Amino acid sequence: MLVSLLARHPLATIVVAQLFGTSLWFSVNGVGLALSEAVGLTERGLGLLTIAVQAGFISGTLMIATTGLADRIHASRLFACSAVAGALCNAAFIGMAESLSLAVIARFFTGLCLAGIYPLGMKLVVSWTPSHAGAALGWLVGMLTLGTASPHLLRGLTLALPWQWPLLLASLLALIAAVLIFRLGDGPHLPGPAKGGRPWVGLAAFRVNNFRATALGYFGHCWELYAFWALVPYLVSREVARLGWNTSWLPWLAFLVIALGLPGCVGGGWLSRRMGSDRVAVGALAVSGILCLTYPFLGGSSPLLLLGLLAIWGLCVIADSPQFSALASITAPRERLGAALAIMNAIGFALTIPAIALTTTLWSSQQLTVLWWLFPGPVLGLIAMRFYNSNRIIEISST
């Protein structure tokens, strides 16, 4: 019955599949504390596993962009295959967890598979709802956010069970996502699969001033986003300890902080239809930048105040992402939209690696001041968006 209902509502199907598929992304982070007890995983090791997922995602997006797979294969089929493969790689991590090198390989291949889920999910949204891309992508990225947070929820629900259970549940969700999208198929508002084309053709979109400004703004956003998400368990744990609360609060509060990005994205999508995607993106990025700068100064304040600020940060840190994607989708070549979005994603996620490495490595020595390493991202993103001209939307065609 649920599958039949979703089939009549393509956007609902896509966003639910995005939620289920992206639960693979931070599945290991959700059981990080349990892994430290079970196999002696250190903070540095957890950082390496997180970076491995990002590196795999970058490699995958570059591969599907340069080979043309993003536009030569039906998006629904590539999404479904990637979700199945990702589920298997995520489950394989369980048998490799005791060896850090093997665990890193498993997480790399999980990230590789995610490259066929997130960018292709954006393409599917545009193929079904092109006239309301900003609002629709708000739901899609909101579900990416909820999917990113879901490992913490799964761990909260399975605290009495071994750490392997949340990983197996995430893999099951990804398999369900594959079925949903395979049954849905592609939307009617994009050209069929492209026949060939030069590698790196997606880079042609950077010739357009508005696409270039949007992409640079997105890159600044990426520098901050995933490093913040990787730090959320540490930031929450600090305040839980100061409050004297039981550690069982940690997964629930970490889930809440990240999951608040869902209403942030949906609310941003609603605002974009009234204010424009560019203004919403700039506003959310500015709030994130202010929090990057000021949060460390407030380290001695009430733990409840700091948890409240983390909630606001979680609400805003991702709200700009769907708007950047919407702005990119209306200026990129329609027949090479998949390649352009994949390359933009690849570059943006490449920037997450040094940000995550810096923050997770320096947390133990710098604590809250490590957040200042994130500040350049929002600042440079806001500078780039000054060159965006909302009165001059130009689309380029693939050559």
Side-chain angles (χ1 to χ4, degrees):
M1 180 177 178
L2 177 61
V3 172
S4 175
L5 177 65
L6 291 175
R8 294 196 297 271
H9 302 281
L11 179 59
T13 302
I14 297 167
V15 298
V16 169
Q18 184 82 340
L19 165 62
F20 290 174
T22 53
S23 65
L24 303 174
W25 212 309
F26 272 48
S27 59
V28 171
N29 298 71
V31 295
L33 291 178
L35 282 173
S36 67
E37 298 173 0
V39 300
L41 183 68
T42 63
E43 290 177 358
R44 177 180 174 275
L46 185 60
L48 285 175
L49 294 176
T50 306
I51 290 170
V53 177
Q54 302 301 90
F57 180 82
I58 294 160
S59 301
T61 51
L62 286 174
M63 180 181 71
I64 65 175
T66 57
T67 61
L69 287 175
D71 298 296
R72 294 170 62 186
I73 297 178
H74 287 286
S76 56
R77 295 176 186 175
L78 186 54
F79 184 111
C81 291
S82 299
V84 171
L88 296 175
C89 292
N90 185 66
F93 172 87
I94 294 173
M96 303 177 180
E98 294 187 4
S99 169
L100 183 59
S101 57
L102 291 178
V104 166
I105 293 173
R107 294 309 290 165
F108 174 86
F109 279 101
T110 303
L112 197 72
C113 297
L114 283 164
I117 296 175
Y118 179 39
L120 274 297
M122 287 193 289
K123 184 176 180 180
L124 283 167
V125 164
V126 174
S127 76
W128 283 100
T129 57
S131 60
H132 303 301
L137 288 171
W139 278 100
L140 183 81
V141 179
M143 286 302 181
L144 163 68
T145 306
L146 198 58
T148 301
S150 64
H152 299 289
L153 174 63
L154 293 176
R155 186 53 185 161
L157 293 171
T158 59
L159 275 175
L161 298 174
W163 61 265
Q164 292 91 341
W165 276 90
L167 294 173
L168 292 174
L169 289 173
S171 290
L172 176 61
L173 291 176
L175 293 176
I176 295 173
V179 173
L180 290 174
I181 292 299
F182 185 80
R183 289 173 63 92
L184 176 67
D186 291 10
H189 298 292
L190 284 179
K195 303 185 186 305
R198 298 191 305 274
W200 306 103
V201 69
L203 288 174
F206 283 88
R207 298 173 186 166
V208 179
N209 176 75
N210 278 352
F211 181 89
R212 186 167 59 250
T214 298
L216 292 174
Y218 175 76
F219 298 158
H221 151 81
C222 285
W223 174 267
E224 175 206 12
L225 174 63
Y226 277 86
F228 171 72
W229 278 350
L231 287 174
V232 163
Y234 302 128
L235 294 166
V236 170
S237 179
R238 178 183 185 269
E239 306 315 319
V240 167
R242 292 175 66 209
L243 286 165
W245 291 356
N246 190 287
T247 55
S248 61
W249 279 93
L250 176 56
W252 294 101
L253 291 174
F255 167 77
L256 178 63
V257 169
I258 299 175
L260 280 170
L262 171 59
C265 288
V266 174
W270 180 82
L271 286 174
S272 72
R273 298 179 67 174
R274 291 153 179 80
M275 300 172 55
S277 290
D278 54 326
R279 292 181 179 178
V280 174
V282 166
L285 197 58
V287 173
S288 288
I290 291 169
L291 288 169
C292 282
L293 180 63
T294 59
Y295 194 94
F297 289 116
L298 301 172
S301 302
S302 163
L304 292 177
L305 171 63
L306 291 178
L307 287 173
L309 290 176
L310 285 179
I312 295 172
W313 204 340
L315 192 73
C316 297
V317 72
I318 187 67
D320 47 358
S321 187
Q323 305 314 316
F324 282 129
S325 298
L327 293 171
S329 71
I330 62 175
T331 55
R334 302 294 288 175
E335 61 271 29
R336 294 295 178 181
L337 177 60
L341 291 176
I343 286 180
M344 187 178 84
N345 273 257
I347 297 172
F349 278 80
L351 292 170
T352 69
I353 291 181
I356 292 172
L358 275 171
T359 53
T360 56
T361 301
L362 296 176
W363 170 259
S364 59
S365 60
Q366 296 189 5
Q367 293 292 300
L368 294 185
T369 57
V370 80
L371 295 171
W372 286 337
W373 288 102
L374 305 184
F375 184 59
V379 171
L380 295 177
L382 289 170
I383 292 172
M385 285 301 290
R386 288 179 61 85
F387 296 94
Y388 183 88
N389 184 353
S390 59
N391 296 319
R392 188 167 177 262
I393 305 296
I394 302 176
E395 293 188 11
I396 60 173
S397 60
S398 177
T399 55

